[in-house]
């Protein structure tokens, strides 16, 4: 079937990227294709190549949009722990605007211009904590992986036992109690629900505590 064109007016790279984000958020990343993006902007697929190199170029640009949405905290007088907390929360806020597209931040290039201010700020905080360059980069990657993982659980990419409907929670808890696994049964009330913000804060504190312990071991 021929692709129908409905567009009027010039096309821009920014519009292509915006529509790619719309497609990804409404249909899922697995459904994103240049064909779908072209249909969304009202042109033939080949017309996209006047503005983007290929699908990988579009994915990089989508990640850039998310990264540019991160409000970077003031680093001048902030203790490193507070700075990393603020940066992690700012990332979550920006990512939740495009939750299905946010994992691109983990899989696309971290040396992209849009990523550099975030990386710079995080590394400054980690160096302020007392880490050398190599350790700071390792911690940065661990924090990014943690944030993407918690976000993925929050938007339903990974299994989670969430639900605010009492009946659903009660059924899930009962299933866990009857699992025949004693540790699972004992923790059934906690496993049956998941507050994503609390889980992110808890995991973040674990990471910060690990950084403190590493710095103490080196001193």
């Amino acid at each position: 079937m021929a692709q129908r064109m409905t567009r009027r007016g010039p096309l821009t790279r920014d519009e292509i990227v915006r529509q790619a984000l719309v497609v990804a958020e409404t249909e899922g990343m697995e459904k994103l294709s240049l064909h779908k993006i072209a249909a969304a902007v009202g042109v033939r697929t080949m017309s996209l190549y006047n503005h983007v190199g290929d699908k990988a170029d579009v994915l990089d640009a989508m990640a850039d949009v998310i990264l540019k949405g991160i409000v970077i905290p003031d680093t001048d007088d902030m203790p490193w722990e507070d700075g990393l907390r603020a940066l992690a929360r700012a990332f979550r806020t920006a990512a939740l605007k495009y939750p299905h597209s946010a994992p691109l931040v983990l899989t696309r290039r971290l040396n992209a211009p849009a990523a550099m201010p975030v990386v710079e700020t995080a590394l400054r905080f980690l160096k302020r904590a007392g880490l050398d360059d190599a350790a700071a980069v390792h911690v940065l990657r661990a924090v990014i992986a943690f944030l993407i993982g918690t976000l993925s659980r929050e938007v339903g990419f990974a299994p989670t036992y969430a639900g605010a409907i009492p009946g659903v929670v009660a059924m899930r808890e009962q299933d866990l109690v009857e699992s025949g696994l004693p540790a699972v049964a004992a923790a059934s009330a906690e496993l049956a629900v998941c507050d994503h913000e609390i889980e992110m804060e808890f995991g973040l504190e674990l990471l910060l505590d690990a950084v403190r312990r590493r710095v103490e071991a080196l001193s």
Side-chain angles (χ1 to χ4, degrees), residues 92-132:
R92 179 173 181 265
T93 298
L96 283 177
K97 295 178 181 179
Y98 306 101
H100 295 287
S101 305
L104 291 172
V105 174
L106 182 62
T107 59
R108 310 314 293 176
R109 54 197 173 94
L110 266 183
N111 62 340
M116 288 298 95
V118 180
V119 172
E120 171 72 12
T121 302
L123 290 177
R124 283 187 181 181
F125 286 137
L126 291 168
K127 293 293 290 295
R128 191 176 299 170
L131 297 176
D132 61 23

Side-chain angles (χ1 to χ4, degrees), residues 19-25 27-37 55 58-59 62 101 104:
Q19 288 301 320
L21 286 164
V22 170
V23 172
E25 294 305 313
E27 301 187 35
M29 281 297 302
E30 70 279 1
K31 298 289 184 67
L32 183 66
S33 67
L34 292 180
H35 178 78
K36 282 186 175 291
I37 297 169
K55 184 178 177 180
V58 175
L59 296 176
M62 292 166 66
S101 305
L104 291 172

Side-chain angles (χ1 to χ4, degrees), residues 121-214:
T121 302
L123 290 177
R124 283 187 181 181
F125 286 137
L126 291 168
K127 293 293 290 295
R128 191 176 299 170
L131 297 176
D132 61 23
D133 290 332
V137 170
H138 289 317
V139 172
L140 170 62
R141 288 172 176 159
V143 171
I144 293 171
F146 162 72
L147 291 173
I148 291 294
T150 56
L151 181 73
S152 295
R153 178 178 58 196
E154 186 165 359
V155 300
F157 287 173
T160 182
Y161 304 145
I165 303 172
V168 174
V169 173
M171 289 176 59
R172 179 61 192 167
E173 185 174 348
Q174 187 61 32
D175 289 341
L176 294 167
V177 169
E178 297 174 354
S179 67
L181 303 170
V184 169
S188 59
E190 289 73 27
L191 289 171
V193 295
C194 180
D195 184 311
H196 298 293
E197 186 170 0
I198 288 176
E199 296 301 328
M200 189 208 76
E201 294 289 341
F202 184 88
L204 182 60
E205 291 306 316
L206 285 180
L207 285 170
L208 294 178
D209 186 55
V211 173
R212 292 188 201 97
R213 290 175 182 272
R214 177 172 286 270

